[in-house]
């Protein structure tokens, strides 16, 4: 997430842009959280859970409605190699995706489960760990034209995880893959469900987060200036529905998306060149 020379250039060019006509700014993130990489919303206590990526603490943070850190939970038996997203199941248990893989060399990809009952404590223990690998990857690292094995977005649905890859290949063409992994302790198989394309411009179409609506009728993929919406699908055949690109009228290093309810998204970005470092709200018209 930190090798964005071309993205920095884009930030400079867009530094004077006006506020988005699509996004509503809710609040600025606390100064402590400089590299937010994932968010998930818990409606029962109006808490937005977030985390940071590689080089940061093995902690998750609960933000209140004003954007203040109301809870800090240290996960004592988990190492933050590169935490890239956070999600939850229907029971409210949280899951940390430690699968950031910029260089496509990792052989320790995993997901940590954090029981809902431990979220009120200062220290918590991951109740289990899901380890996995991509069967299609044979070389570590692969060729520069085959850097397909980084992930920054996932969600849990019907006792499975769905991971959306971030293409880091030379000659980026927007190709992304969806992998399915069982939500069960131990080493699990990652199954390739299918591939789709965003666009051929890395700055605008690299995938940084993913989320599914509470009613499981919408799946969204986040990029720096747009979301990609899948709907009209059955079960987990997300690619059998419609794929719609929604322009957010705002370019920044957006890294995290979550549903607040079936019609509302929360989006967070990192602060870069005085742009971002905020949480926004997006409302679907339907």
């Amino acid at each position: 997430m930190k090798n964005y020379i071309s993205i920095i250039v884009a930030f400079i060019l867009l530094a004077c842009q006006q506020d988005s006509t699509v996004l509503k700014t809710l609040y600025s993130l606390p100064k402590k959280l400089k590299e937010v990489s994932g968010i998930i919303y818990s409606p029962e206590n109006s808490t937005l859970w977030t985390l940071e990526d590689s080089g940061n603490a093995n902690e998750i943070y609960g933000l209140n409605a004003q954007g203040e850190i109301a809870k800090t939970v240290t996960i004592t038996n988990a190492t933050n190699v590169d935490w890239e997203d956070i999600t939850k199941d229907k029971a409210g248990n949280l899951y940390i995706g430690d699968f950031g893989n910029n260089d496509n060399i990792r052989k320790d990809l995993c997901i940590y489960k954090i029981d809902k009952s431990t979220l009120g404590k200062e220290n918590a223990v991951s109740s289990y760990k899901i380890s996995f690998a991509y069967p299609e990857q044979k070389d570590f690292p692969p060729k520069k034209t085959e850097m397909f094995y980084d992930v920054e977005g996932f969600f849990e649905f019907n006792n499975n995880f769905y991971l959306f890859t971030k293409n880091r290949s030379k000659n980026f063409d927007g190709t992304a893959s969806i992998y399915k992994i069982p939500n069960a302790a131990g080493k699990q198989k990652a199954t390739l469900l299918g591939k789709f394309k965003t666009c051929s411009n890395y700055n605008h179409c690299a995938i940084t987060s993913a989320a599914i609506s509470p009613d499981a009728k919408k799946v969204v993929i986040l990029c720096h200036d747009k979301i990609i919406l899948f709907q009209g699908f059955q079960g987990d055949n997300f690619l059998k529905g419609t794929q719609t690109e929604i322009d957010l009228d705002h370019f920044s290093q957006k890294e995290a998306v979550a549903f607040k309810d079936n019609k509302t998204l929360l989006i967070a970005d990192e602060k870069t060149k005085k742009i971002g470092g905020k949480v926004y709200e997006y409302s679907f018209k339907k």
Side-chain angles (χ1 to χ4, degrees):
M1 287 171 54
K2 301 176 180 64
N3 55 346
Y4 284 133
I5 296 176
S6 59
I7 291 180
I8 297 302
V9 173
F11 285 136
I12 294 172
L13 292 174
L14 293 168
C16 295
Q17 74 174 27
Q18 300 299 311
D19 290 339
S20 171
T21 59
V22 178
L23 297 177
K24 174 185 177 182
T25 301
L26 296 183
Y27 49 77
S28 294
L29 288 162
K31 291 183 179 180
K32 173 182 173 64
L33 303 180
K34 299 183 183 300
E35 296 183 314
V36 163
S37 59
I39 57 175
I40 193 68
Y41 184 71
S42 294
E44 59 271 16
N45 51 20
S46 300
T47 298
L48 185 68
W49 289 100
T50 187
L51 43 67
E52 297 184 285
D53 60 8
S54 61
N56 291 288
N58 53 319
E59 297 175 338
I60 59 175
Y61 309 93
L63 306 184
N64 61 23
Q66 290 73 47
E68 303 162 330
I69 298 177
K71 298 178 182 179
T72 299
V73 182
T74 300
I75 314 304
T76 58
N77 64 337
T79 300
N80 187 346
V81 178
D82 196 355
W83 292 3
E84 283 292 358
D85 208 355
I86 186 169
T87 190
K88 66 177 181 178
D89 58 25
K90 284 191 174 182
N93 302 303
L94 302 186
Y95 298 87
I96 296 168
D98 189 353
F99 40 48
N101 193 17
N102 290 13
D103 299 322
N104 283 220
I105 59 175
R106 288 185 62 183
K107 295 183 179 180
D108 59 350
L109 304 171
C110 64
I111 298 166
Y112 296 102
K113 179 181 180 181
I114 313 300
D115 287 344
K116 180 180 179 180
S117 61
T118 67
L119 294 176
K121 303 177 181 179
E122 291 186 3
N123 296 295
V125 175
S126 169
S127 58
Y128 62 72
K129 174 181 175 180
I130 304 102
S131 300
F132 67 94
Y134 305 108
E136 291 74 23
Q137 183 173 9
K138 307 301 180 184
D139 299 310
F140 299 81
K143 297 177 182 178
K144 290 184 178 180
T145 54
E146 299 174 359
M147 302 279 280
F148 302 128
Y149 304 103
D150 184 23
V151 168
E152 293 190 7
F154 82 139
F155 55 76
E156 204 272 359
F157 172 57
N158 284 350
N159 297 314
N160 290 286
F161 298 106
Y162 295 87
L163 281 63
F164 294 77
T165 62
K166 182 173 187 176
N167 188 335
R168 290 187 176 274
S169 300
K170 183 179 180 181
N171 301 324
F172 177 86
D173 68 353
T175 298
S177 300
I178 306 176
Y179 281 92
K180 181 178 181 178
I181 300 172
N183 181 358
K187 190 172 183 178
Q188 300 297 333
K189 180 181 178 181
T191 302
L192 178 62
L193 289 189
K195 298 182 180 183
F196 65 98
K197 285 194 176 185
T198 52
C199 77
S200 59
N201 187 316
Y202 180 88
N203 288 345
H204 297 279
C205 289
I207 294 171
T208 60
S209 191
I212 190 168
S213 60
D215 62 7
K217 292 183 178 180
K218 295 183 181 74
V219 165
V220 295
I221 309 303
L222 181 67
C223 303
H224 289 311
D225 62 0
K226 64 178 63 65
I227 57 173
I228 298 167
L229 170 66
F230 294 96
Q231 57 185 346
F233 52 81
Q234 297 294 322
D236 63 1
N237 292 321
F238 309 126
L239 300 183
K240 295 296 183 181
T242 60
Q243 178 177 335
T244 306
E245 183 179 297
I246 300 174
D247 186 358
L248 297 176
D249 187 34
H250 183 273
F251 187 95
S252 66
Q253 193 172 328
K254 296 177 182 66
E255 295 288 347
V257 65
F259 277 88
K260 184 177 182 180
D261 53 48
N262 290 321
K263 295 183 178 181
T264 311
L265 288 177
L266 298 173
I267 296 172
D269 57 7
E270 291 186 16
K271 189 171 185 178
T272 307
K273 298 293 183 180
K274 298 183 179 180
I275 299 172
K278 298 177 180 180
V279 173
Y280 312 89
E281 188 175 88
Y282 173 82
S283 297
F284 291 99
K285 294 180 181 179
K286 296 182 180 180

